[in-house]
Amino acid sequence: MSKRFKVLLTNSIHPSYHEELSKECDVIVAPDTKPETLKNLISDCDGLIVRCQLPEDIFDNAPQMKAVVRHGVGLDFIPVTAATKRAIPVANLPGSNTNAVVEYCMAVIFYFRRRLNSIDSALRSQGWGKARPLADSSTEISATTLGIVGMGAIGSKLAKAATGMQMNVIALTRRPETLPPGIKAATKEELFSQSDVIALCCPLNDQTRGLVDRASIAMMKSNAILINIARGPVIDTQAVLDALAEGRIAGAAMDVHDQHPLSGDEAVFDCPNLLLTPHIASITASSMRGMSKGSVETILAILHGKNVDNIVNPEVFSNKAE
């Protein structure tokens, strides 16, 4: 009888695919995501499905580890370099949550431009006469300019959705020659000064860390809104809070933050015109099911020695061969 693999889940996955994984593996769900908890649990595991930030030394005590799969797309949760040094293949699921994130961005745009939350609140607390005039200053999104930073899968699909709503779209990208027809390449200065909405869809790296600083925000229109679905350190959070408090920009949405999770004591909770969400742009019932399905299929394939296309460090296989 062949040995059953042991797989650690940093967080729960869709019940149907947890059950599917359990048919072939012993599955453990971490009771919390503290570094010490994860490091203790991983010591005798063969596989790991990741939905939280891993400590940099997570693989130091994982001699049996054969496969790591990101339940999603972003790889900054995983110390890929450390995994590669130990010949551990790492995979992610490109495109698995693109629709969900694009819908989140569009929802944020409507949240600020149509002011439905403010109108609802005023109607309930102050009555029809006070609520109805609030619509006079609401804004249709057609013919406004959306600036997208980062034209990967999410940025590209957001651009398509926005042009479908008759928005003008400009983009800051390293590869302007790949932009689809109708999307204009822009410099950073052009994008921040011309956009009515700015959506940050870029990965976090040395080039994007602190990209949105005080100088960038100073270029923005007073009626502009900023959406961060990239990573917290892409923006200077305090600079954004100061701009919102002083009315120099109209609004911002932060789904990602400098530290996860938020404790409730951060300055963001006292800031006006700021929509806060707990890193859920990519999470819907549909995307959770899809990401769980992809995670389970991928980790089982790797554990059973099959080739998969979504390995991000394929060099581990040539290293093993040597």
Side-chain angles (χ1 to χ4, degrees):
M1 182 176 179
S2 61
K3 170 186 174 293
R4 282 172 65 86
F5 293 113
K6 188 174 183 180
V7 175
L8 173 64
L9 312 180
T10 64
N11 306 76
S12 61
I13 63 175
H14 192 281
S16 297
Y17 293 99
H18 184 130
E19 182 180 355
E20 196 70 24
L21 183 61
S22 297
K23 292 176 183 177
E24 298 193 42
C25 304
D26 295 327
V27 181
I28 300 172
V29 181
D32 60 66
T33 57
K34 296 175 182 176
E36 289 309 312
T37 301
L38 297 177
K39 287 191 280 187
N40 287 334
L41 290 174
I42 204 174
S43 61
D44 62 346
C45 289
D46 302 286
L48 175 66
I49 294 179
V50 180
R51 288 189 61 205
C52 73
Q53 183 70 57
L54 299 179
E56 285 294 321
D57 59 351
I58 184 71
F59 302 122
D60 288 356
N61 188 35
Q64 296 179 198
M65 186 57 54
K66 301 173 181 68
V68 176
V69 178
R70 173 71 169 97
H71 187 280
V73 181
L75 291 166
D76 54 306
F77 278 1
I78 301 172
V80 177
T81 300
T84 303
K85 287 180 179 178
R86 295 181 179 274
I88 302 170
V90 177
N92 66 347
L93 307 172
S96 59
N97 55 24
T98 301
N99 283 340
V101 178
V102 168
E103 288 185 6
Y104 173 93
C105 290
M106 296 304 295
V108 168
I109 295 172
F110 286 116
Y111 173 91
F112 281 107
R113 290 310 188 212
R114 294 305 299 267
R115 307 185 65 191
L116 298 184
N117 63 317
S118 299
I119 293 170
D120 173 81
S121 178
L123 178 59
R124 294 171 186 273
S125 62
Q126 301 175 60
W128 187 281
K130 293 291 185 181
R132 198 168 188 277
L134 294 178
D136 294 345
S137 59
S138 64
T139 308
E140 295 181 29
I141 68 170
S142 62
T144 63
T145 297
L146 169 64
I148 301 176
V149 179
M151 285 294 285
I154 291 170
S156 298
K157 195 150 195 174
L158 177 59
K160 184 176 181 179
T163 53
M165 296 293 295
Q166 298 179 307
M167 296 183 78
N168 174 46
V169 179
I170 59 178
L172 177 61
T173 175
R174 293 176 300 163
R175 297 180 297 166
E177 70 279 0
T178 65
L179 290 175
I183 309 302
K184 180 185 175 184
T187 64
K188 180 179 177 180
E189 291 74 16
E190 289 170 340
L191 186 138
F192 277 84
S193 62
Q194 296 175 15
S195 298
D196 300 293
V197 180
I198 298 171
L200 306 176
C201 305
C202 53
L204 176 63
N205 53 41
D206 291 341
Q207 289 70 47
T208 61
R209 187 178 297 273
L211 176 75
V212 184
D213 54 12
R214 290 185 183 275
S216 305
I217 296 166
M219 301 176 198
M220 293 174 63
K221 298 179 180 181
S222 60
N223 67 341
I225 64 174
L226 177 70
I227 305 171
N228 188 11
I229 51 90
R231 287 293 183 262
V234 169
I235 69 172
D236 178 342
T237 299
Q238 190 57 54
V240 174
L241 300 186
D242 290 345
L244 289 167
E246 296 164 11
R248 289 186 280 112
I249 61 174
M254 296 181 187
D255 184 55
V256 287
H257 310 277
D258 294 330
Q259 297 292 330
H260 289 198
L262 294 174
S263 68
D265 297 325
E266 291 86 356
V268 293
F269 287 95
D270 298 318
C271 186
N273 300 317
L274 176 59
L275 174 64
L276 296 175
T277 52
H279 201 177
I280 51 80
S282 65
I283 298 176
T284 65
S286 299
S287 69
M288 279 296 293
R289 187 178 186 92
M291 288 187 287
S292 295
K293 179 177 185 290
S295 297
V296 169
E297 290 177 347
T298 299
I299 204 161
L300 287 176
I302 298 172
L303 289 174
H304 289 298
K306 298 177 181 177
N307 292 326
V308 295
D309 295 332
N310 50 323
I311 299 289
V312 301
N313 58 345
E315 62 270 27
V316 299
F317 297 110
S318 58
N319 292 344
K320 286 180 179 179
E322 294 170 3

PDB file of all heavy atoms in Angstrom, residues 35-59:
ATOM      1  N   PRO A  35       3.465  32.480  12.703  1.00  0.00           N
ATOM      2  CA  PRO A  35       4.650  31.826  12.151  1.00  0.00           C
ATOM      3  C   PRO A  35       5.048  30.544  12.881  1.00  0.00           C
ATOM      4  O   PRO A  35       5.351  29.536  12.239  1.00  0.00           O
ATOM      5  CB  PRO A  35       5.732  32.900  12.263  1.00  0.00           C
ATOM      6  CG  PRO A  35       4.987  34.186  12.164  1.00  0.00           C
ATOM      7  CD  PRO A  35       3.692  33.940  12.887  1.00  0.00           C
ATOM      8  N   GLU A  36       5.036  30.580  14.202  1.00  0.00           N
ATOM      9  CA  GLU A  36       5.463  29.394  14.958  1.00  0.00           C
ATOM     10  C   GLU A  36       4.503  28.236  14.754  1.00  0.00           C
ATOM     11  O   GLU A  36       4.921  27.076  14.689  1.00  0.00           O
ATOM     12  CB  GLU A  36       5.600  29.732  16.442  1.00  0.00           C
ATOM     13  CG  GLU A  36       6.788  30.610  16.760  1.00  0.00           C
ATOM     14  CD  GLU A  36       8.094  30.068  16.178  1.00  0.00           C
ATOM     15  OE1 GLU A  36       8.367  28.856  16.344  1.00  0.00           O
ATOM     16  OE2 GLU A  36       8.835  30.840  15.554  1.00  0.00           O
ATOM     17  N   THR A  37       3.216  28.529  14.655  1.00  0.00           N
ATOM     18  CA  THR A  37       2.229  27.479  14.409  1.00  0.00           C
ATOM     19  C   THR A  37       2.494  26.800  13.078  1.00  0.00           C
ATOM     20  O   THR A  37       2.536  25.563  12.993  1.00  0.00           O
ATOM     21  CB  THR A  37       0.802  28.069  14.415  1.00  0.00           C
ATOM     22  OG1 THR A  37       0.538  28.681  15.673  1.00  0.00           O
ATOM     23  CG2 THR A  37      -0.239  26.984  14.148  1.00  0.00           C
ATOM     24  N   LEU A  38       2.691  27.599  12.041  1.00  0.00           N
ATOM     25  CA  LEU A  38       2.925  27.041  10.712  1.00  0.00           C
ATOM     26  C   LEU A  38       4.232  26.250  10.664  1.00  0.00           C
ATOM     27  O   LEU A  38       4.299  25.164  10.073  1.00  0.00           O
ATOM     28  CB  LEU A  38       2.941  28.155   9.667  1.00  0.00           C
ATOM     29  CG  LEU A  38       1.629  28.940   9.499  1.00  0.00           C
ATOM     30  CD1 LEU A  38       1.814  30.062   8.487  1.00  0.00           C
ATOM     31  CD2 LEU A  38       0.485  28.032   9.079  1.00  0.00           C
ATOM     32  N   LYS A  39       5.269  26.773  11.300  1.00  0.00           N
ATOM     33  CA  LYS A  39       6.561  26.089  11.280  1.00  0.00           C
ATOM     34  C   LYS A  39       6.511  24.759  12.032  1.00  0.00           C
ATOM     35  O   LYS A  39       7.171  23.792  11.640  1.00  0.00           O
ATOM     36  CB  LYS A  39       7.647  27.004  11.844  1.00  0.00           C
ATOM     37  CG  LYS A  39       8.028  28.128  10.881  1.00  0.00           C
ATOM     38  CD  LYS A  39       9.269  28.875  11.311  1.00  0.00           C
ATOM     39  CE  LYS A  39       8.984  29.892  12.381  1.00  0.00           C
ATOM     40  NZ  LYS A  39      10.167  30.734  12.673  1.00  0.00           N
ATOM     41  N   ASN A  40       5.728  24.698  13.080  1.00  0.00           N
ATOM     42  CA  ASN A  40       5.586  23.439  13.814  1.00  0.00           C
ATOM     43  C   ASN A  40       4.795  22.407  13.015  1.00  0.00           C
ATOM     44  O   ASN A  40       5.150  21.228  12.981  1.00  0.00           O
ATOM     45  CB  ASN A  40       4.894  23.686  15.157  1.00  0.00           C
ATOM     46  CG  ASN A  40       5.796  24.382  16.158  1.00  0.00           C
ATOM     47  OD1 ASN A  40       7.021  24.278  16.079  1.00  0.00           O
ATOM     48  ND2 ASN A  40       5.199  25.106  17.096  1.00  0.00           N
ATOM     49  N   LEU A  41       3.736  22.858  12.352  1.00  0.00           N
ATOM     50  CA  LEU A  41       2.859  21.926  11.643  1.00  0.00           C
ATOM     51  C   LEU A  41       3.485  21.386  10.366  1.00  0.00           C
ATOM     52  O   LEU A  41       3.171  20.286   9.921  1.00  0.00           O
ATOM     53  CB  LEU A  41       1.535  22.614  11.308  1.00  0.00           C
ATOM     54  CG  LEU A  41       0.610  22.910  12.487  1.00  0.00           C
ATOM     55  CD1 LEU A  41      -0.594  23.722  12.017  1.00  0.00           C
ATOM     56  CD2 LEU A  41       0.142  21.615  13.138  1.00  0.00           C
ATOM     57  N   ILE A  42       4.381  22.155   9.755  1.00  0.00           N
ATOM     58  CA  ILE A  42       4.902  21.778   8.436  1.00  0.00           C
ATOM     59  C   ILE A  42       5.996  20.722   8.503  1.00  0.00           C
ATOM     60  O   ILE A  42       6.386  20.145   7.483  1.00  0.00           O
ATOM     61  CB  ILE A  42       5.426  23.040   7.707  1.00  0.00           C
ATOM     62  CG1 ILE A  42       5.418  22.830   6.192  1.00  0.00           C
ATOM     63  CG2 ILE A  42       6.812  23.428   8.201  1.00  0.00           C
ATOM     64  CD1 ILE A  42       5.779  24.073   5.408  1.00  0.00           C
ATOM     65  N   SER A  43       6.483  20.425   9.680  1.00  0.00           N
ATOM     66  CA  SER A  43       7.695  19.609   9.817  1.00  0.00           C
ATOM     67  C   SER A  43       7.613  18.234   9.165  1.00  0.00           C
ATOM     68  O   SER A  43       8.618  17.717   8.682  1.00  0.00           O
ATOM     69  CB  SER A  43       8.060  19.449  11.296  1.00  0.00           C
ATOM     70  OG  SER A  43       7.005  18.794  11.991  1.00  0.00           O
ATOM     71  N   ASP A  44       6.425  17.636   9.126  1.00  0.00           N
ATOM     72  CA  ASP A  44       6.307  16.296   8.514  1.00  0.00           C
ATOM     73  C   ASP A  44       5.321  16.279   7.350  1.00  0.00           C
ATOM     74  O   ASP A  44       4.744  15.253   7.024  1.00  0.00           O
ATOM     75  CB  ASP A  44       5.899  15.263   9.565  1.00  0.00           C
ATOM     76  CG  ASP A  44       4.542  15.555  10.197  1.00  0.00           C
ATOM     77  OD1 ASP A  44       4.033  16.685  10.030  1.00  0.00           O
ATOM     78  OD2 ASP A  44       3.988  14.656  10.864  1.00  0.00           O
ATOM     79  N   CYS A  45       5.140  17.442   6.714  1.00  0.00           N
ATOM     80  CA  CYS A  45       4.178  17.543   5.606  1.00  0.00           C
ATOM     81  C   CYS A  45       4.873  17.404   4.250  1.00  0.00           C
ATOM     82  O   CYS A  45       6.032  17.789   4.078  1.00  0.00           O
ATOM     83  CB  CYS A  45       3.432  18.874   5.663  1.00  0.00           C
ATOM     84  SG  CYS A  45       2.258  18.984   7.031  1.00  0.00           S
ATOM     85  N   ASP A  46       4.117  16.875   3.297  1.00  0.00           N
ATOM     86  CA  ASP A  46       4.607  16.722   1.928  1.00  0.00           C
ATOM     87  C   ASP A  46       4.151  17.863   1.026  1.00  0.00           C
ATOM     88  O   ASP A  46       4.772  18.130  -0.006  1.00  0.00           O
ATOM     89  CB  ASP A  46       4.091  15.407   1.345  1.00  0.00           C
ATOM     90  CG  ASP A  46       4.504  14.212   2.170  1.00  0.00           C
ATOM     91  OD1 ASP A  46       5.681  13.832   2.109  1.00  0.00           O
ATOM     92  OD2 ASP A  46       3.638  13.662   2.894  1.00  0.00           O
ATOM     93  N   GLY A  47       3.030  18.501   1.378  1.00  0.00           N
ATOM     94  CA  GLY A  47       2.487  19.559   0.544  1.00  0.00           C
ATOM     95  C   GLY A  47       1.933  20.697   1.381  1.00  0.00           C
ATOM     96  O   GLY A  47       1.607  20.514   2.567  1.00  0.00           O
ATOM     97  N   LEU A  48       1.817  21.865   0.763  1.00  0.00           N
ATOM     98  CA  LEU A  48       1.337  23.061   1.457  1.00  0.00           C
ATOM     99  C   LEU A  48       0.495  23.889   0.497  1.00  0.00           C
ATOM    100  O   LEU A  48       0.937  24.209  -0.608  1.00  0.00           O
ATOM    101  CB  LEU A  48       2.536  23.883   1.951  1.00  0.00           C
ATOM    102  CG  LEU A  48       2.243  25.240   2.595  1.00  0.00           C
ATOM    103  CD1 LEU A  48       1.485  25.065   3.908  1.00  0.00           C
ATOM    104  CD2 LEU A  48       3.560  25.992   2.839  1.00  0.00           C
ATOM    105  N   ILE A  49      -0.717  24.221   0.908  1.00  0.00           N
ATOM    106  CA  ILE A  49      -1.579  25.140   0.155  1.00  0.00           C
ATOM    107  C   ILE A  49      -1.651  26.442   0.943  1.00  0.00           C
ATOM    108  O   ILE A  49      -2.011  26.441   2.123  1.00  0.00           O
ATOM    109  CB  ILE A  49      -2.973  24.550  -0.099  1.00  0.00           C
ATOM    110  CG1 ILE A  49      -2.860  23.336  -1.040  1.00  0.00           C
ATOM    111  CG2 ILE A  49      -3.907  25.594  -0.704  1.00  0.00           C
ATOM    112  CD1 ILE A  49      -4.183  22.650  -1.345  1.00  0.00           C
ATOM    113  N   VAL A  50      -1.318  27.550   0.281  1.00  0.00           N
ATOM    114  CA  VAL A  50      -1.038  28.809   0.966  1.00  0.00           C
ATOM    115  C   VAL A  50      -2.116  29.858   0.707  1.00  0.00           C
ATOM    116  O   VAL A  50      -2.428  30.174  -0.449  1.00  0.00           O
ATOM    117  CB  VAL A  50       0.320  29.372   0.503  1.00  0.00           C
ATOM    118  CG1 VAL A  50       0.633  30.683   1.216  1.00  0.00           C
ATOM    119  CG2 VAL A  50       1.426  28.362   0.726  1.00  0.00           C
ATOM    120  N   ARG A  51      -2.640  30.413   1.830  1.00  0.00           N
ATOM    121  CA  ARG A  51      -3.576  31.537   1.736  1.00  0.00           C
ATOM    122  C   ARG A  51      -3.193  32.675   2.675  1.00  0.00           C
ATOM    123  O   ARG A  51      -4.008  33.556   2.953  1.00  0.00           O
ATOM    124  CB  ARG A  51      -5.006  31.082   2.057  1.00  0.00           C
ATOM    125  CG  ARG A  51      -5.663  30.218   0.993  1.00  0.00           C
ATOM    126  CD  ARG A  51      -7.137  29.999   1.306  1.00  0.00           C
ATOM    127  NE  ARG A  51      -7.870  31.253   1.346  1.00  0.00           N
ATOM    128  CZ  ARG A  51      -9.002  31.444   2.034  1.00  0.00           C
ATOM    129  NH1 ARG A  51      -9.523  30.453   2.737  1.00  0.00           N
ATOM    130  NH2 ARG A  51      -9.607  32.610   2.026  1.00  0.00           N
ATOM    131  N   CYS A  52      -1.979  32.659   3.187  1.00  0.00           N
ATOM    132  CA  CYS A  52      -1.541  33.714   4.108  1.00  0.00           C
ATOM    133  C   CYS A  52      -0.040  33.940   3.930  1.00  0.00           C
ATOM    134  O   CYS A  52       0.635  33.200   3.215  1.00  0.00           O
ATOM    135  CB  CYS A  52      -1.853  33.325   5.558  1.00  0.00           C
ATOM    136  SG  CYS A  52      -0.769  32.024   6.202  1.00  0.00           S
ATOM    137  N   GLN A  53       0.473  34.957   4.597  1.00  0.00           N
ATOM    138  CA  GLN A  53       1.899  35.248   4.545  1.00  0.00           C
ATOM    139  C   GLN A  53       2.684  34.171   5.285  1.00  0.00           C
ATOM    140  O   GLN A  53       2.413  33.877   6.441  1.00  0.00           O
ATOM    141  CB  GLN A  53       2.185  36.610   5.182  1.00  0.00           C
ATOM    142  CG  GLN A  53       3.628  37.034   5.120  1.00  0.00           C
ATOM    143  CD  GLN A  53       4.061  37.367   3.700  1.00  0.00           C
ATOM    144  OE1 GLN A  53       3.461  38.219   3.054  1.00  0.00           O
ATOM    145  NE2 GLN A  53       5.097  36.708   3.225  1.00  0.00           N
ATOM    146  N   LEU A  54       3.668  33.597   4.612  1.00  0.00           N
ATOM    147  CA  LEU A  54       4.526  32.605   5.238  1.00  0.00           C
ATOM    148  C   LEU A  54       5.773  33.269   5.799  1.00  0.00           C
ATOM    149  O   LEU A  54       6.298  34.224   5.214  1.00  0.00           O
ATOM    150  CB  LEU A  54       4.967  31.546   4.213  1.00  0.00           C
ATOM    151  CG  LEU A  54       3.872  30.705   3.545  1.00  0.00           C
ATOM    152  CD1 LEU A  54       4.514  29.744   2.550  1.00  0.00           C
ATOM    153  CD2 LEU A  54       3.050  29.939   4.574  1.00  0.00           C
ATOM    154  N   PRO A  55       6.304  32.764   6.912  1.00  0.00           N
ATOM    155  CA  PRO A  55       7.590  33.272   7.390  1.00  0.00           C
ATOM    156  C   PRO A  55       8.705  32.890   6.432  1.00  0.00           C
ATOM    157  O   PRO A  55       8.641  31.866   5.751  1.00  0.00           O
ATOM    158  CB  PRO A  55       7.754  32.586   8.754  1.00  0.00           C
ATOM    159  CG  PRO A  55       6.853  31.402   8.723  1.00  0.00           C
ATOM    160  CD  PRO A  55       5.723  31.751   7.810  1.00  0.00           C
ATOM    161  N   GLU A  56       9.740  33.716   6.376  1.00  0.00           N
ATOM    162  CA  GLU A  56      10.837  33.498   5.437  1.00  0.00           C
ATOM    163  C   GLU A  56      11.544  32.167   5.653  1.00  0.00           C
ATOM    164  O   GLU A  56      12.055  31.564   4.710  1.00  0.00           O
ATOM    165  CB  GLU A  56      11.854  34.639   5.530  1.00  0.00           C
ATOM    166  CG  GLU A  56      11.402  35.934   4.869  1.00  0.00           C
ATOM    167  CD  GLU A  56      11.264  35.797   3.352  1.00  0.00           C
ATOM    168  OE1 GLU A  56      12.120  35.121   2.745  1.00  0.00           O
ATOM    169  OE2 GLU A  56      10.314  36.353   2.794  1.00  0.00           O
ATOM    170  N   ASP A  57      11.565  31.691   6.895  1.00  0.00           N
ATOM    171  CA  ASP A  57      12.281  30.448   7.194  1.00  0.00           C
ATOM    172  C   ASP A  57      11.353  29.243   7.308  1.00  0.00           C
ATOM    173  O   ASP A  57      11.706  28.236   7.907  1.00  0.00           O
ATOM    174  CB  ASP A  57      13.092  30.605   8.487  1.00  0.00           C
ATOM    175  CG  ASP A  57      12.218  30.961   9.696  1.00  0.00           C
ATOM    176  OD1 ASP A  57      11.016  31.264   9.508  1.00  0.00           O
ATOM    177  OD2 ASP A  57      12.749  30.933  10.825  1.00  0.00           O
ATOM    178  N   ILE A  58      10.171  29.329   6.704  1.00  0.00           N
ATOM    179  CA  ILE A  58       9.167  28.271   6.834  1.00  0.00           C
ATOM    180  C   ILE A  58       9.694  26.921   6.363  1.00  0.00           C
ATOM    181  O   ILE A  58       9.329  25.874   6.904  1.00  0.00           O
ATOM    182  CB  ILE A  58       7.881  28.648   6.049  1.00  0.00           C
ATOM    183  CG1 ILE A  58       6.764  27.608   6.249  1.00  0.00           C
ATOM    184  CG2 ILE A  58       8.172  28.804   4.566  1.00  0.00           C
ATOM    185  CD1 ILE A  58       6.154  27.600   7.601  1.00  0.00           C
ATOM    186  N   PHE A  59      10.574  26.904   5.377  1.00  0.00           N
ATOM    187  CA  PHE A  59      11.031  25.628   4.807  1.00  0.00           C
ATOM    188  C   PHE A  59      12.277  25.063   5.488  1.00  0.00           C
ATOM    189  O   PHE A  59      12.744  23.996   5.117  1.00  0.00           O
ATOM    190  CB  PHE A  59      11.278  25.787   3.303  1.00  0.00           C
ATOM    191  CG  PHE A  59      10.068  26.258   2.549  1.00  0.00           C
ATOM    192  CD1 PHE A  59      10.100  27.431   1.807  1.00  0.00           C
ATOM    193  CD2 PHE A  59       8.878  25.544   2.601  1.00  0.00           C
ATOM    194  CE1 PHE A  59       8.977  27.874   1.126  1.00  0.00           C
ATOM    195  CE2 PHE A  59       7.744  25.984   1.926  1.00  0.00           C
ATOM    196  CZ  PHE A  59       7.799  27.155   1.192  1.00  0.00           C
TER     197      PHE A  59
END
